[in-house]
Structure formats: structure tokens, C-alpha cells
Amino acid sequence: MKKVYKVYKSDRLSDCSSEQTGVIKGEITPERSKSICNRALIIQALCDDDFKIHHISNSKDSETLQELLNSKHSVLDAGAAGTTFRFMTAYLATQQGSYTLTGSKRMKERPIGILVDALRSLGADIEYLENDGYPPLKITGTPLLKSKEISIKGNISSQYISAILMIAPTLPNGLTINITGEISSRPYLQMTLDLMRQFGINYTEKDLENNLAITISPQKYKGKDFIIEADWSAASYHYALAAFSSECDLKLYGYQSASLQGDSHIAKMMEAFGVQTAFHNTYIHLSKEGNVNPMFEFDFSDQPDLAQTIAVICAGLGLPGLYSGLHSLRIKETDRIKALQNELGKMQVYISKMPPRFSKTSDKEFFMQEGKAVIDLPTFETYDDHRMALAFATLAMFAPVKIIDPDVVVKSYPNFWKDLEVLGFVVEEVVENFN
């Protein structure tokens, strides 16, 4: 039996017109950034000084990472937490002892070979316990003395590079990482470096043609109390509600204009959908004032976690979209491109890969989205992916929707359903028959 939530705005129960309507008004404090939190937790574990992390994320990913870092067991289960698995792989390679690092069924399908190869080139002792290139892993901590320089492609998950960067200052010889080619999710890489710098780590950076070299000498992290800011990707779902509204007066607390998060770019992106953002000392204020662009085009290479939100916004408003930079979506919690195609297709909205000749001077893949959502009480699959549930639930602004496995949101935004209720939505569990 699958758990299903029916979600609708209290004043939109019977209207399925898919037209912008309704008021969004209220004050919300979304989840704290798990991306920042997970990096801070690894740095805390690597630091000899004691310090406190304030406003630790309540996300399942961050809770799992805390549990593993504090565990005395030799078998460590990261579950479905991809960031946790990757960060722990590098961390355990530097720690005394022998560990088995495993995860969920989906985690065992997500590649880890690039990170393992890089760590092995430094001298790490890591074995595959099932399939080569995939979890679970047996990791035996050993001094990483084999090399003080590695090369790694930039178009892989930035989490691989961040995992290595954070252990680099603790290595006896330090490390130079040569990142070749175009770098995916570069803001996440910069987030890691900025956090390391805040905790006393110095590094040098040489940006040469088709190559970025980051050199970190052996040094110690310096502890200091640290506050986690609110998660901008969590804010994106409230931006979607604002885009779908006819009037918006929404305050989101815990945000600041100078953010470590690349997803803070959502504030600028949403101007294309008529949503304006005013920054205040402790919160941002969203309002619906501007004009809506006739089409939305964006390269998600630096903000891949916003892709599902934007695709759903375009579907709800009936705007065509032209997207690139979606390559990393295939190795997330699910194949997010396929999942979007499946679920948007239920509402007569279609995402299609453009032929190669569409981009004659680039090897980028482009996807075109067309159609306006026909919302007639659809039941959306979530594919064990929190962002599918979070993004598609916002369509309840138009009419009732059903979300399968709604608890999946605990991975990044445990209080999401409660926050929707604060904004005037009804969230109720229903019985759904699945054949």
C-alpha cells in the first residue's frame, strides 16, 4: 500500500481551470541548507577544535551524515543520501579503521567510480563489494601519500570534487586538483571553497584554458561557531506558488542577499515569471508585480536542482521552455529527465530532446518543453525523489493533485507539507487503488 496525499488550496477545491488565481500570503521559515550543513559537518569532523553549528538542517540527508560521523560501527548505511555517501567515501579514506559504506537500492545504482579512482590515485585503500564502479564499498583508512596531484573532469558531479577538496588540507603533502573541461555545478564547488576559507584554509587557484588548478597546502581547520542559512532550493517551491498566484505577499525567513548557494539565482530567474524579490535583514519578500516572459530559456549546469521547479512552473503557466545543462539529472535520486517527461506528460506537457544539429558549435544537449498543464486531479509518482514531490505539489495552486509517497520530502524539506498548510493549502491522506 502506497501512501498518497491529496493537496489543494482551500479556495480551489472544485476549479480545474488551470488559470492563475488566488492569493499567496504568509510568513514561512523554510528548511536550512543541507548543502552548506553537510559541508560544515565534514569540516567539523576534520577539525581538531570544537565548535558549534547552529540551525543544523533537519533534512534526512543531514541527519544521516551526523549519525554516520558519530557512529562507532564499522558498517555505515547512507541510505538514499548521495551527498552523504560521496563525502563519507573521501572522509573515511583518511580515517583509521576499516569500514563498509553502503546505501539504498538506488544508491547502489549511482556511480562512484570517478571518486574512488581519484582517491586510489592518492593511495586510498577502497574495494568494491558488489559491482565495480558502484556502492557498496570497503574502505580501509591509510595515509594518502602516493601523490600530491590529481586530475579530474569538470563535467562530473561537483560533489566528487568537493569531497576531495575538504580532505585536501589534512593530507600530509597537501593536494593540487586539476579540473579539466567545463565545470558542472560550479557554484557548489565555490561554496565548498568559501566554507573552507571561513574555517581557516588557504588555497591558490589558477584558471587556465580548459583547466582549473586548485592547490591546497597541508594545514589545519580552525574552529568557529557557524550559522546555517536557509535553503534556496527549498525557497524555489514557494517561488513557484508565487508565479502561479494572481497576488503574492510572502515572507521567507533565513535568507540574505550575500549567499553561499548558487541556487540563490532563483530570485533573478523568477523575474521572468513576474515574481519580484525584496531583500531585508532577516527575510526576503516575494511579490507578484512584473510581466511574464513569453518563453523561458536557461542553462541549468550551475543550478541543476532548480530544473524540476522551473519545468513545473512553465507547465503551469503554459510557457515554452528551452533547457540545457541537464546532464547531471540522469544520476540523481532518479533519472530526473525521464521522470519529468513521464509526469508532465500526464498533463499534456511534453519535454523532448532536440536533435544534435540544433547546436552545431556545442556538444550540449537541449530540451524543448511545450504545452500547458491540464490539471484534472492527476496522481503524480515521485520516484523516491524529494524534488519530484516538492515541485509537483505546487500545482495544487490551480486544482487538487495527488502525490504518491509524500514522505520522500524528508530528504531535504521535512516540514514542507506543514508549510503549505500555513499558506492555506489542505493536505490530507487518501486511499488510492493501484493496479
Side-chain angles (χ1 to χ4, degrees):
M1 179 67 69
K2 296 181 180 179
K3 187 174 184 178
V4 179
Y5 276 174
K6 181 179 179 181
V7 188
Y8 56 93
K9 199 141 188 312
S10 56
D11 57 357
R12 295 287 287 165
L13 178 59
S14 60
D15 189 346
C16 298
S17 62
S18 294
E19 296 297 329
Q20 287 175 264
T21 187
V23 176
I24 285 293
K25 184 175 183 178
E27 299 182 1
I28 296 292
T29 302
E31 188 54 63
R32 297 287 166 160
S33 169
K34 72 182 181 74
S35 297
I36 295 176
C37 185
N38 289 352
R39 287 162 173 78
L41 287 169
I42 291 292
I43 290 171
Q44 185 184 53
L46 291 168
C47 183
D48 293 336
D49 304 328
D50 291 330
F51 66 88
K52 293 182 179 180
I53 302 175
H54 300 281
H55 299 310
I56 287 179
S57 171
N58 293 320
S59 66
K60 180 63 175 176
D61 278 19
S62 294
E63 288 184 350
T64 299
L65 181 55
Q66 288 184 84
E67 291 171 2
L68 298 191
L69 288 170
N70 294 325
S71 176
K72 304 299 182 183
H73 300 292
S74 61
V75 177
L76 303 174
D77 189 347
T83 306
T84 295
F85 194 98
R86 290 159 180 173
F87 287 1
M88 286 297 296
T89 298
Y91 172 76
L92 292 175
T94 68
Q95 303 301 300
Q96 293 184 347
S98 182
Y99 306 90
T100 296
L101 183 60
T102 188
S104 65
K105 179 181 177 182
R106 172 59 181 165
M107 184 62 66
K108 294 180 181 181
E109 298 171 347
R110 300 178 70 177
I112 196 71
I114 293 173
L115 177 57
V116 170
D117 288 346
L119 291 169
R120 282 176 170 175
S121 72
L122 297 174
D125 184 353
I126 304 176
E127 302 175 37
Y128 296 112
L129 295 180
E130 293 181 10
N131 298 315
D132 283 356
Y134 297 87
L137 306 174
K138 181 181 179 182
I139 305 172
T140 303
T142 184
L144 305 186
L145 297 168
K146 190 174 180 180
S147 176
K148 60 179 182 179
E149 184 170 353
I150 62 171
S151 292
I152 195 165
K153 292 182 178 180
N155 63 354
I156 59 168
S157 170
S158 64
Q159 293 172 8
Y160 296 153
I161 304 173
S162 289
I164 297 171
L165 281 172
M166 286 187 288
I167 66 168
T170 71
L171 303 184
N173 298 320
L175 185 65
T176 294
I177 303 179
N178 294 303
I179 307 171
T180 60
E182 184 177 355
I183 301 174
S184 296
S185 304
R186 186 158 186 164
Y188 285 98
L189 182 61
Q190 192 59 51
M191 175 195 292
T192 303
L193 291 169
D194 288 345
L195 277 172
M196 291 171 64
R197 178 174 282 160
Q198 288 191 38
F199 287 99
I201 300 301
N202 296 311
Y203 66 91
T204 60
E205 191 174 308
K206 291 184 179 179
D207 202 344
L208 307 174
E209 184 178 357
N210 209 38
N211 183 69
L212 173 65
I214 301 171
T215 300
I216 303 173
S217 62
Q219 52 196 299
K220 291 183 178 293
Y221 284 106
K222 298 175 182 179
K224 68 171 189 175
D225 288 359
F226 184 73
I227 299 174
I228 308 294
E229 63 179 282
D231 184 16
W232 276 97
S233 52
S236 75
Y237 311 112
H238 298 291
Y239 273 99
L241 298 176
F244 294 153
S245 72
S246 55
E247 180 182 342
C248 179
D249 179 11
L250 180 59
K251 293 179 180 179
L252 303 179
Y253 285 86
Y255 296 95
Q256 55 194 24
S257 56
S259 174
L260 292 172
Q261 302 172 66
D263 284 354
S264 62
H265 191 60
I266 187 70
K268 180 66 177 177
M269 293 167 66
M270 291 304 297
E271 293 176 6
F273 302 101
V275 180
Q276 302 299 318
T277 306
F279 287 88
H280 298 269
N281 188 35
T282 59
Y283 66 92
I284 55 176
H285 178 248
L286 309 190
S287 59
K288 188 69 178 294
E289 299 176 17
N291 296 321
V292 179
N293 289 1
M295 179 177 180
F296 188 81
E297 181 177 351
F298 196 75
D299 182 342
F300 288 96
S301 296
D302 287 343
Q303 290 88 16
D305 287 342
L306 299 180
Q308 287 145 296
T309 308
I310 295 299
V312 169
I313 292 173
C314 286
L317 298 180
L319 300 179
L322 181 61
Y323 313 136
S324 58
L326 302 183
H327 49 278
S328 67
L329 269 62
R330 292 191 174 94
I331 58 170
K332 296 288 187 176
E333 284 78 353
T334 186
D335 181 339
R336 287 179 171 171
I337 297 175
K338 185 176 181 180
L340 279 171
Q341 291 172 326
N342 291 344
E343 301 313 300
L344 291 176
K346 293 178 179 179
M347 301 181 295
Q348 300 178 33
V349 176
Y350 305 101
I351 296 181
S352 304
K353 183 178 176 181
M354 304 299 289
R357 64 178 182 275
F358 184 78
S359 180
K360 297 179 180 179
T361 61
S362 170
D363 59 357
K364 285 185 178 180
E365 292 181 323
F366 284 84
F367 291 83
M368 175 66 78
Q369 177 173 321
E370 299 175 287
K372 183 173 183 178
V374 177
I375 305 172
D376 188 12
L377 197 59
T379 299
F380 294 117
E381 292 279 358
T382 52
Y383 305 87
D384 294 322
D385 184 350
H386 54 128
R387 300 206 187 280
M388 289 297 291
L390 293 162
F392 279 84
T394 64
L395 291 168
M397 190 68 187
F398 294 119
V401 299
K402 293 180 182 178
I403 305 293
I404 297 173
D405 191 19
D407 291 340
V408 73
V409 301
V410 302
K411 182 175 175 63
S412 64
Y413 194 167
N415 291 323
F416 177 69
W417 304 116
K418 292 180 180 178
D419 285 351
L420 281 189
E421 290 175 332
V422 169
L423 296 177
F425 290 82
V426 177
V427 181
E428 58 186 23
E429 188 170 352
V430 297
V431 176
E432 185 86 350
N433 292 321
F434 296 97
N435 297 322

